[in-house]
Amino acid sequence: MEETVWARDHTEGFVLGKITELLDDEAEVTPLESRYPKRILPFSDIFRAYVEKDKDYDDNCEMMFLNEASLLHNIRNRYYKNKIYSYVANILIAVNPYKEILSLYSPETIKSYRGKSLGEKPPHVFAIADKAHRDMRVLKQSQSIIVSGESGAGKTESTKHLLKFLCDSWGADSGPIEQKILDANPVLEAFGNAKTTRNNNSSRFGKFIEVHFDKNFKVAGGHISHYLLEKSRICSPQGDERSYHIFYMMMAGAPEGLRQQLGLTKPDDYNYLKSACTRYFTTSASEKKLSTVQKSADQSKQGQLRDILLDDIEDFLALDQALSRLGMSDGERLQIYVTVAAVLHLGNIEFEDNPEDTRGGCRVATSKERSLLMAAKLLEIDPSELRQALVARVMQSSRGGLKGTVIMVPLKIYEANNARDALAKAIYSNLFDYIVNRINQSIPFQTSSYYIGVLDIAGFEFFTVNSFEQFCINYCNEKLQQFFNERILKYEQELYKREGLNVPEITFVDNQDCIDVIETKNKGILTLLDEESKLPKPSYTHFTEEVHKTWSKEYRLGLPRSSKLKAHRSLRDDEGFLVRHFAGAVCYQTKHFIDKNNDALHASLEGIIQDSKNKLIQTLFSTSVAQKGKLTFISVGNKFKTQLAELMEKLRSNGTNFIRCVKPNNKMIDQQFDGSLSLMQLKCSGMTTVLELMEHGFPSRTPFADLHAMYKDYLPNELKVLSPKTFCEAMFHSLKLQDKDFKFGVTRVFFRPGKFAEFDKIMRSDPENLKSIVANVKKWLVKSRWIKAQFCALTVIKMKHKIAYRRQALIIVQKTVRGYLVRKRHGARIKTLRDIRALGANLKKIESSTAQLKKDKDVITNQINQLKTQFDTTVDRIKSDDKMDPKTVESLYTDLVAKVNQQMAALQKKLQEQKNAEEQERLRKIQEELERQKKLKEEEERRQREEEENRRKKAEIEARRKQEEEERRRQEEADRKLALELQQQQEKLVQEERRYQEQLEQERQDRELALRLAQESNGQLEESPPMIRKSEAVKNQQANLAKGKYDLSKWKYSELRDTINTSCDIELLEACRHEFHRRLKVYHAWKAKNRKRTTMDENERAPRSVMESAARTPRLPQKTILDNNSQRFFRIPFQRPGGDQSKDDMQMCELSLEETGLTRKRGAEILESEFNREWEKNGGAQYVRPADRK
Ligand SMILES: Nc1ncnc2c1ncn2[C@@H]1O[C@H](COP(=O)(O)OP(=O)(O)O)[C@@H](O)[C@H]1O
Ligand SMILES: [Mg+2]
């Protein structure tokens, strides 16, 4: 037990320790470092450790034990050495360093990664970018790079580095295009990024940037798609956060003249900014440029904000330059700034009750008239019209009066506030769309063959209060997670199967059910929300009730009170819902769902804004359709759903590369690695599952043809002409790569993690080396061809022997059949002829006896001669008529016999008469001879009958064998069915277990998430009792009952051992021994599960799981259908020259008849008589039936 293990820890993730006690299904672990307390953990929280001092791995798959604990350890270890990147197979893990690492992204570094295959250099985003470009070239397929991670994990930074690498490496000749693609970033960030509590430079929108390449794979242009700009931030940033950078940049960095022209002072002066953080990001250098008019009260009091990448003052200048490089004139840029300022002034317009209005309407507060005028001036619309449109809404009456009459409905203060905010949001978000459009126009591409798209979209989000924005972004992440599962886990495993690689299967949680809850066409949450908006009086509580009603049976959707966080439990059922996402449960508050889902302006505002004299404003609102009816509006959710579907379509048709960003701490500081926080991110991003897959997997693969094409240029002619597969075989066998490092599939060759690079490096090394490789390949080719030729010759010879043997056998078959046929047809006649001939011999003897006759000699001789002619005619008749039936033949013969007998009698009589005693004696002998022949004939007939009988019996045996065979087949069929049923039952059990485990995992994840939130917000956690399966509960109860007298579950391992050694209480001793062995068994099972990584045993024919399940299926005993009373006899073919016969005999004797397989063997069963013959032939004593024994 002196093994070092990783034990789960709530803050560090895992700590090193030693198992000091085996307990009831758990173990006690004592951490190596004394500052961590001793703990008792289930085995699922303990992993074997192998820690080499100071050793870390580029690819996490290279570690000795592939589990989450070693993964975390390796990443942490590297992080503190400033190695922020590592791989899990082809997936890059990037830890945010929150500091600059020297020359990590320098131009020299960029150069050094160009054209190097993945794994050749230390892990880096550049390596991923280069791989994407290489895959694009080789596979002729567009590529996506999906960058994911929590807010602040470093997605946007990674995206920038990726773009920089692509543009620097393949865009240098493309002139300004390259710069423009890079310029897009500061512009997008100024308008779309903001400081949040989790990230100073948080992108509040998602983007998919495509870099397009021409047919020479050089940069040809670009295109940006963006998703879901967070609009609520424009009007109401919260707490310590800020609104979009551009507002502060203009106030801090715009030249004084411009600020005055736009009426910009300090953040405190604007309603849209003053309630949140009002400080600027500066550096100590730029800070001096600020005058007191620009500084907010907080800024003066608490000083500036600091971030290595942000500086509101300098960033404004950079933005202005970037905009101008993107092709915007001074005038156009000014218009953009004007529009931004207009939003701020618009926000300053306030309303008060209008005492003159009897319908409870409001008016613009007199103190805020100046803001109204300023906003109107900047937007170039008529101030009085703006005033009018803000406090009243146009409606077309459908009742009374003329249909279509326009009436003005005065708005209440809160309604006017909402209308103003809606206008501000519309202006700003349309401006953002416009800017993205302008960027796209400035980086057009004439011809595009392929593109590399980089997706940077917010990761999974959860706060104490979650609204529609979080709902959309988590929906998106749910889809991306599914895509990840599909690409990496499902697709990968399917490929292994198709290509016939023997890789054990692993399971993962399918989140389709969660996606269904959100997006199903007729009852998904998004649809329910749209339906609600179309009602005459939409209400969020009704919507929430509908959601719960529709999805009440779905595990993924729950009531707020099922949350683990106390703050959520106080919500009413109709105020929110809980979605159990793949990364944990999130509770959404539905209050603003309906407004946020609908971004249409009311008609009067839409009208006046379109009448603006300002060119830019006109453009911004030119596309919106006035008078959007309630029934025709396209909701925000619906639009996002469509955009997302398009995005997924693109991702599915491209090659994929993943970058998983990890945020090491929540404080945004360097050199601090929070273990449990990072571990959670690694698990959520599926890294632990991929690690499990890669234990036996092959992350790199290349079709034979591609590999061949890739290296063709490096090879001499004789190797160029080989077929791709032969080439690859020759290549691999001659390169002395280890067999376990690669595998040949059906269409491609696969490499273990990191091995492709090794191969690639060998192939591209200097000409000297290449020469020796070529020589080796040639040698291998000659060798393999020689072996093949030998094999062919051998096969031909074998074939010849086989043909000769068969011919011989055929002749024998023919001969036998012919003989049989002839015998059947002529047998009777031939036999009779033979008999007649024998009779003829007798006649001759009679004839010779006549010589002794003294008288009547002539008469007798005459008679005999007559008889002879009758013999001849009979013989002739039989010979000539081959259709004569046996009966006639028989009668002819008997006729002759009778005649001869008659003749004999006559002769005898004569001889009697002669009283020649001697003659008489001789005649008697002849008679005896005749008798003997008769007997022989009878014997012959009896034998024939017996044979007939035997044949019948054999036929009977054969029939019985057939019947038994049929019976057995039926029995086997039934057994198979039974086994199948049993297996299905078992599979169902396994599946239930898996579902239970998944839910347990989800619970754990939910709890961890809640814990994080609770820690962040000082909230409280409320534990619910752990889930227990019914079957388990029953089991526990039984176990408790069974324990009876002794409860040993609290006993220590050593106590158990001591009791066994010393106790005299037999019962106690027995119980201890039982418990001792049980614990040992649990421990060994854990150890076996955590064994060192191995590739599959060469001799294994099927995945272990298959073998195991086969072993589990019991072999059912065969039902015997034999009649036990009857004796059966079999011939056993022991003809193995040189074999150890006696042993075989012995074994054969010990088998049951069924097991010998003899009953199934045709011709093995013999008759009792046949057996007896054999028995006696070999000197066996005659068998006497028990009944006949004395
Ligand atoms: N590779 C890096 N090197 C140095 N600092 C980084 C790196 N990646 C991220 N950061 C720091 O982390 C902050 C947040 O990164 P960002 O890419 O904006 O996160 P995300 O887009 O995932 O929300 C950045 O502003 C920067 O300070
Ligand atoms: Mg970002």
Side-chain angles (χ1 to χ4, degrees):
M1 279 200 284
E2 275 310 286
E3 206 145 5
T4 313
V5 294
W6 286 113
R8 205 178 285 283
D9 184 90
H10 277 304
T11 50
E12 302 289 341
F14 286 94
V15 294
L16 280 175
K18 286 202 188 306
I19 296 183
T20 42
E21 190 63 64
L22 295 182
L23 299 167
D24 201 31
D25 288 329
E26 295 165 324
E28 182 194 72
V29 180
T30 312
L32 299 187
E33 288 182 51
S34 54
R35 64 188 160 118
Y36 300 118
K38 229 184 219 188
R39 60 205 66 205
I40 289 169
L41 295 169
F43 277 113
S44 59
D45 284 342
I46 304 173
F47 294 97
R48 287 178 78 178
Y50 179 80
V51 180
E52 277 174 291
K53 206 160 184 287
D54 259 0
K55 174 118 176 95
D56 60 81
Y57 302 86
D58 280 355
D59 186 340
N60 291 291
C61 297
E62 286 165 24
M63 296 183 301
M64 171 84 85
F65 297 115
L66 298 184
N67 55 49
E68 51 189 278
S70 346
L71 174 71
L72 182 69
H73 172 68
N74 189 41
I75 288 173
R76 179 188 349 231
N77 199 1
R78 288 171 67 85
Y79 168 80
Y80 284 117
K81 296 185 198 171
N82 282 341
K83 297 183 192 175
I84 58 169
Y85 296 117
S86 63
Y87 295 122
V88 170
N90 286 346
I91 301 165
L92 182 77
I93 298 180
V95 185
N96 186 346
Y98 281 118
K99 68 170 180 187
E100 250 173 82
I101 295 172
L102 200 68
S103 73
L104 187 59
Y105 307 109
S106 68
E108 292 74 42
T109 313
I110 292 188
K111 221 187 231 152
S112 73
Y113 274 89
R114 202 171 301 154
K116 300 277 166 34
S117 53
L118 205 72
E120 223 177 297
K121 302 259 308 158
H124 203 292
V125 267
F126 294 161
I128 296 287
D130 192 84
K131 173 179 179 284
H133 195 265
R134 171 201 278 246
D135 284 353
M136 175 178 75
R137 278 187 334 251
V138 175
L139 307 174
K140 311 260 181 298
Q141 185 191 26
S142 292
Q143 299 289 313
S144 311
I145 303 177
I146 298 178
V147 189
S148 60
E150 288 191 4
S151 178
K155 298 180 295 294
T156 308
E157 291 305 310
S158 303
T159 306
K160 284 192 262 187
H161 294 307
L162 286 170
L163 293 177
K164 180 98 174 97
F165 182 85
L166 292 176
C167 288
D168 273 13
S169 303
W170 295 282
D173 320 333
S174 321
I177 287 277
E178 175 216 353
Q179 183 59 42
K180 283 180 185 169
I181 293 176
L182 297 179
D183 274 335
N185 268 316
V187 175
L188 291 175
E189 288 190 6
F191 290 91
N193 284 23
K195 167 187 153 50
T196 67
T197 47
R198 297 180 185 212
N199 180 358
N200 289 336
N201 187 27
S202 178
S203 333
R204 308 314 299 164
F205 64 104
K207 61 180 186 282
F208 186 62
I209 303 188
E210 296 163 25
V211 179
H212 285 259
F213 293 87
D214 59 19
K215 60 181 189 307
N216 298 320
F217 305 106
K218 294 264 188 268
V219 176
H223 184 83
I224 299 171
S225 317
H226 68 288
Y227 311 97
L228 286 180
L229 181 74
E230 183 187 45
K231 288 186 204 156
S232 56
R233 184 168 300 273
I234 301 162
C235 304
S236 42
Q238 306 258 320
D240 240 2
E241 308 203 334
R242 295 204 315 186
S243 186
Y244 290 103
H245 290 332
I246 182 68
F247 296 115
Y248 310 89
M249 284 160 66
M250 277 169 58
M251 260 176 262
E256 202 183 339
L258 180 61
R259 277 187 279 127
Q260 269 171 5
Q261 183 187 347
L262 303 182
L264 291 179
T265 48
K266 54 182 184 291
D268 288 344
D269 297 336
Y270 304 96
N271 287 345
Y272 282 169
L273 306 180
K274 69 180 177 196
S275 58
C277 172
T278 53
R279 299 189 283 157
Y280 300 129
F281 280 102
T282 58
T283 56
S284 46
S286 64
E287 185 186 343
K288 299 190 187 88
K289 295 187 191 166
L290 286 178
S291 67
T292 41
V293 234
Q294 289 167 289
K295 287 190 194 166
S296 68
D298 276 357
Q299 172 100 12
S300 309
K301 238 188 299 175
Q302 301 170 17
Q304 63 294 317
L305 298 169
R306 281 276 146 86
D307 187 285
I308 47 169
L309 294 174
L310 298 175
D311 180 348
D312 289 330
I313 301 165
E314 298 302 328
D315 287 352
F316 180 79
L317 295 177
L319 167 72
D320 197 52
Q321 283 160 11
L323 283 175
S324 85
R325 275 198 299 271
L326 285 169
M328 296 195 203
S329 65
D330 291 353
E332 280 178 301
R333 283 185 340 258
L334 179 64
Q335 280 192 326
I336 289 174
Y337 303 142
V338 164
T339 310
V340 174
V343 171
L344 288 182
H345 289 291
L346 205 57
N348 279 353
I349 302 174
E350 289 174 19
F351 305 96
E352 58 189 16
D353 281 328
N354 183 358
E356 288 154 29
D357 191 279
T358 50
R359 290 175 291 176
C362 66
R363 64 180 184 200
V364 173
T366 35
S367 59
K368 299 294 173 183
E369 271 299 322
R370 267 192 47 212
S371 299
L372 176 84
L373 291 177
M374 191 66 189
K377 189 180 118 198
L378 294 177
L379 293 171
E380 292 182 47
I381 48 182
D382 184 76
S384 55
E385 274 180 30
L386 177 61
R387 183 183 297 118
Q388 184 59 33
L390 283 174
V391 297
R393 185 158 57 91
V394 190
M395 261 188 65
Q396 275 183 337
S397 80
S398 51
R399 264 182 314 154
L402 215 63
K403 201 170 175 196
T405 310
V406 173
I407 49 166
M408 299 296 287
V409 184
L411 300 178
K412 308 219 165 32
I413 293 182
Y414 81 90
E415 287 175 325
N417 280 338
N418 283 347
R420 175 202 60 211
D421 289 351
L423 181 61
K425 287 180 197 171
I427 293 174
Y428 191 86
S429 70
N430 285 5
L431 177 67
F432 189 73
D433 293 350
Y434 168 79
I435 287 173
V436 175
N437 260 337
R438 281 301 306 259
I439 295 174
N440 283 337
Q441 281 164 17
S442 76
I443 46 174
F445 44 88
Q446 262 75 47
T447 56
S448 160
S449 302
Y450 305 102
Y451 67 86
I452 296 179
V454 185
L455 182 69
D456 167 15
I457 202 159
F460 181 70
E461 271 184 3
F462 56 97
F463 304 97
T464 312
V465 178
N466 300 290
S467 187
F468 188 62
E469 292 86 351
Q470 281 72 42
F471 179 72
C472 286
I473 202 63
N474 290 344
Y475 159 47
C476 167
N477 275 284
E478 203 68 64
K479 296 273 276 192
L480 287 175
Q481 177 70 14
Q482 187 184 41
F483 179 69
F484 177 81
N485 284 344
E486 225 171 71
R487 257 305 141 93
I488 300 286
L489 303 175
K490 206 152 119 202
Y491 176 84
E492 190 76 10
Q493 300 198 57
E494 274 169 11
L495 182 73
Y496 290 163
K497 241 188 232 159
R498 244 192 349 260
E499 292 279 344
L501 309 186
N502 227 341
V503 176
E505 214 167 313
I506 66 147
T507 56
F508 53 89
V509 183
D510 185 4
N511 60 344
Q512 182 61 46
D513 48 354
C514 188
I515 293 174
D516 285 344
V517 170
I518 300 172
E519 66 164 24
T520 304
K521 243 208 181 97
N522 46 13
K523 58 176 185 162
I525 295 177
L526 287 174
T527 311
L528 294 177
L529 185 59
D530 284 359
E531 292 297 321
E532 187 70 33
S533 305
K534 290 175 193 163
L535 296 179
K537 272 219 159 79
S539 112
Y540 75 93
T541 50
H542 178 251
F543 156 67
T544 317
E545 278 165 5
E546 282 298 306
V547 170
H548 287 305
K549 212 162 70 196
T550 317
W551 294 102
S552 59
K553 288 195 185 65
E554 173 59 54
Y555 169 71
R556 294 281 193 174
L557 196 105
L559 292 165
R561 59 184 133 101
S562 61
S563 169
K564 302 231 185 270
L565 210 67
K566 203 166 183 187
H568 295 156
R569 294 194 177 198
S570 55
L571 284 181
R572 285 206 319 265
D573 287 357
D574 60 3
E575 287 177 334
F577 54 79
L578 182 116
V579 178
R580 292 197 175 86
H581 290 290
F582 70 94
V586 176
C587 181
Y588 298 98
Q589 299 194 10
T590 45
K591 189 154 187 196
H592 297 294
F593 266 51
I594 294 171
D595 327 330
K596 288 182 177 175
N597 188 37
N598 182 355
D599 60 356
L601 284 180
H602 72 68
S604 40
L605 275 179
E606 181 100 35
I608 64 143
I609 196 80
Q610 278 173 337
D611 285 344
S612 161
K613 308 275 177 310
N614 182 315
K615 277 263 154 43
L616 178 61
I617 300 290
Q618 281 173 12
T619 329
L620 295 189
F621 287 89
S622 62
T623 48
S624 53
V625 189
Q627 310 287 326
K628 275 180 202 155
K630 266 199 173 173
L631 294 171
T632 58
F633 89 112
I634 297 176
S635 65
V636 174
N638 207 353
K639 186 173 152 213
F640 182 54
K641 184 172 146 187
T642 318
Q643 279 185 323
L644 198 54
E646 276 167 22
L647 175 68
M648 297 314 295
E649 183 71 25
K650 273 187 189 170
L651 296 183
R652 288 213 162 87
S653 62
N654 290 358
T656 339
N657 305 275
F658 289 97
I659 299 180
R660 300 303 212 192
C661 298
V662 173
K663 185 162 75 163
N665 61 67
N666 275 328
K667 300 195 189 109
M668 300 190 245
I669 52 174
D670 63 332
Q671 290 295 307
Q672 180 169 337
F673 192 92
D674 180 347
S676 72
L677 177 79
S678 310
L679 180 65
M680 197 171 144
Q681 295 172 62
L682 290 170
K683 285 185 87 168
C684 283
S685 60
M687 284 303 95
T688 48
T689 325
V690 178
L691 203 65
E692 200 185 321
L693 175 68
M694 281 311 154
E695 185 168 359
H696 302 290
F698 298 84
S700 322
R701 74 288 317 266
T702 326
F704 298 129
D706 288 356
L707 207 59
H708 185 236
M710 207 154 137
Y711 294 111
K712 224 159 66 189
D713 299 340
Y714 296 84
L715 300 175
N717 263 335
E718 60 252 69
L719 294 188
K720 256 186 223 175
V721 296
L722 291 177
S723 84
K725 194 166 178 181
T726 325
F727 162 79
C728 292
E729 267 170 5
M731 186 69 82
F732 279 81
H733 284 104
S734 62
L735 277 181
K736 304 205 176 69
L737 285 179
Q738 293 214 316
D739 262 6
K740 64 177 184 0
D741 291 341
F742 65 90
K743 241 184 187 169
F744 279 97
V746 179
T747 63
R748 57 198 82 201
V749 54
F750 292 79
F751 299 87
R752 293 283 302 152
K755 296 303 171 186
F756 181 72
E758 202 174 290
F759 166 73
D760 195 48
K761 207 156 122 195
I762 301 174
M763 284 309 296
R764 284 162 182 252
S765 45
D766 59 297
E768 265 319 296
N769 195 6
L770 203 65
K771 231 187 259 166
S772 77
I773 289 175
V774 167
N776 271 337
V777 170
K778 282 190 201 154
K779 204 157 89 196
W780 187 86
L781 269 179
V782 170
K783 253 196 217 163
S784 76
R785 281 177 184 157
W786 172 235
I787 290 171
K788 261 187 211 154
Q790 280 179 324
F791 183 74
C792 285
L794 227 91
T795 316
V796 169
I797 292 169
K798 257 191 183 167
M799 195 67 144
K800 192 194 99 185
H801 287 333
K802 206 171 195 169
I803 291 171
Y805 166 77
R806 286 206 173 159
R807 180 197 282 155
Q808 199 59 39
L810 277 176
I811 289 172
I812 293 173
V813 170
Q814 276 180 13
K815 199 176 79 181
T816 318
V817 170
R818 270 199 206 141
Y820 167 74
L821 286 176
V822 168
R823 267 195 298 281
K824 190 172 161 197
R825 196 160 142 208
H826 304 294
R829 283 163 56 227
I830 292 170
K831 189 171 150 290
T832 313
L833 284 177
R834 213 182 291 135
D835 292 348
I836 290 175
R837 209 175 300 136
L839 207 59
N842 282 344
L843 196 62
K844 279 227 175 75
K845 279 182 195 154
I846 296 173
E847 195 180 5
S848 61
S849 312
T850 47
Q852 298 168 11
L853 275 183
K854 311 278 172 353
K855 54 172 186 177
D856 291 344
K857 195 168 177 178
D858 293 346
V859 181
I860 294 291
T861 314
N862 240 350
Q863 279 174 349
I864 286 176
N865 280 345
Q866 262 176 26
L867 210 55
K868 268 187 183 165
T869 27
Q870 198 185 343
F871 261 65
D872 290 345
T873 46
T874 310
V875 168
D876 280 350
R877 231 182 105 191
I878 291 176
K879 271 189 184 170
S880 60
D881 183 0
D882 63 355
K883 289 202 185 54
M884 188 181 284
D885 68 313
K887 266 195 198 119
T888 329
V889 179
E890 182 78 24
S891 72
L892 283 175
Y893 177 67
T894 32
D895 200 20
L896 283 183
V897 171
K899 289 245 172 81
V900 172
N901 282 346
Q902 211 178 349
Q903 192 62 48
M904 176 69 89
L907 190 64
Q908 258 178 348
K909 208 170 147 202
K910 289 275 190 265
L911 284 180
Q912 195 95 37
E913 280 165 13
Q914 280 191 26
K915 296 192 182 14
N916 186 333
E918 264 175 297
E919 272 311 297
Q920 210 149 18
E921 176 67 7
R922 218 165 59 82
L923 278 174
R924 202 181 52 77
K925 269 192 191 145
I926 291 170
Q927 179 141 26
E928 253 175 29
E929 170 71 3
L930 272 173
E931 212 120 277
R932 202 176 57 80
Q933 272 189 9
K934 198 172 129 202
K935 252 204 199 119
L936 259 174
K937 195 168 172 272
E938 268 169 16
E939 172 67 15
E940 167 85 352
E941 275 167 4
R942 199 191 54 74
R943 220 187 62 235
Q944 263 179 10
R945 262 201 313 281
E946 194 174 297
E947 255 172 38
E948 184 64 31
E949 176 69 7
N950 280 354
R951 237 194 320 281
R952 198 185 52 72
K953 275 192 191 152
K954 282 239 170 157
E956 245 169 47
I957 288 179
E958 178 65 17
R960 187 168 58 183
R961 194 187 62 78
K962 281 219 179 107
Q963 188 199 343
E964 278 173 16
E965 198 169 74
E966 175 63 18
E967 188 71 23
R968 188 161 35 239
R969 213 184 44 69
R970 260 205 304 279
Q971 180 65 29
E972 273 171 13
E973 184 64 30
D975 291 351
R976 219 184 348 269
K977 245 202 232 140
L978 207 71
L980 210 69
E981 253 168 48
L982 216 74
Q983 202 181 341
Q984 269 166 358
Q985 243 170 30
Q986 215 149 26
E987 266 166 27
K988 214 171 102 199
L989 271 178
V990 168
Q991 223 157 34
E992 253 169 37
E993 172 68 20
R994 203 171 73 215
R995 207 165 30 246
Y996 167 71
Q997 288 299 347
E998 277 173 17
Q999 292 195 353
L1000 215 66
E1001 177 64 24
Q1002 175 84 35
E1003 287 272 321
R1004 223 170 61 73
Q1005 210 131 291
D1006 291 356
R1007 198 182 159 280
E1008 243 166 72
L1009 212 109
L1011 195 73
R1012 249 185 88 187
L1013 257 187
Q1015 278 168 355
E1016 279 173 30
S1017 63
N1018 291 328
Q1020 270 180 354
L1021 215 59
E1022 227 167 73
E1023 296 287 355
S1024 38
M1027 211 176 10
I1028 287 198
R1029 270 174 303 187
K1030 246 192 248 141
S1031 58
E1032 191 130 301
V1034 174
K1035 242 198 269 170
N1036 284 346
Q1037 208 177 0
Q1038 282 172 350
N1040 282 337
L1041 277 179
K1043 264 183 203 157
K1045 207 163 154 190
Y1046 302 108
D1047 178 6
L1048 299 175
S1049 63
K1050 299 273 177 322
W1051 283 42
K1052 287 188 172 175
Y1053 194 62
S1054 50
E1055 285 169 349
L1056 287 175
R1057 195 187 48 219
D1058 292 350
T1059 312
I1060 293 170
N1061 287 336
T1062 56
S1063 172
C1064 301
D1065 180 343
I1066 304 276
E1067 262 180 69
L1068 174 66
L1069 200 131
E1070 198 45 50
C1072 284
R1073 189 176 290 155
H1074 189 265
E1075 177 64 12
F1076 184 83
H1077 287 302
R1078 198 190 57 72
R1079 289 189 195 176
L1080 210 61
K1081 232 160 58 193
V1082 173
Y1083 172 68
H1084 282 304
W1086 168 79
K1087 221 164 128 178
K1089 208 178 115 215
N1090 270 280
R1091 71 188 178 283
K1092 284 186 193 171
R1093 50 189 284 238
T1094 47
T1095 39
M1096 243 175 142
D1097 190 347
E1098 299 290 307
N1099 295 328
E1100 261 176 82
R1101 287 292 162 85
R1104 222 158 279 152
S1105 58
V1106 174
M1107 301 296 287
E1108 278 164 7
S1109 91
R1112 274 202 305 274
T1113 322
R1115 265 198 67 184
L1116 296 158
Q1118 302 271 339
K1119 201 176 96 193
T1120 46
I1121 46 169
L1122 296 177
D1123 172 11
N1124 283 331
N1125 295 326
S1126 73
Q1127 298 275 359
R1128 296 176 73 178
F1129 301 87
F1130 295 91
R1131 182 185 290 120
I1132 307 174
F1134 292 129
Q1135 281 163 337
R1136 232 167 290 143
D1140 189 351
Q1141 281 199 14
S1142 58
K1143 192 168 143 227
D1144 282 349
D1145 289 6
M1146 284 307 291
Q1147 283 179 353
M1148 201 60 145
C1149 294
E1150 282 173 12
L1151 296 177
S1152 74
L1153 178 59
E1154 190 55 37
E1155 283 165 324
T1156 61
L1158 286 170
T1159 49
R1160 287 185 289 278
K1161 205 166 149 100
R1162 199 190 172 105
E1165 180 156 12
I1166 53 173
L1167 295 173
E1168 184 172 358
S1169 59
E1170 286 175 304
F1171 169 76
N1172 280 338
R1173 205 156 45 236
E1174 198 67 25
W1175 178 258
E1176 279 160 27
K1177 199 169 86 194
N1178 285 291
Q1182 203 175 9
Y1183 176 71
V1184 184
R1185 288 172 184 278
D1188 301 340
R1189 284 178 204 155
K1190 279 178 217 145

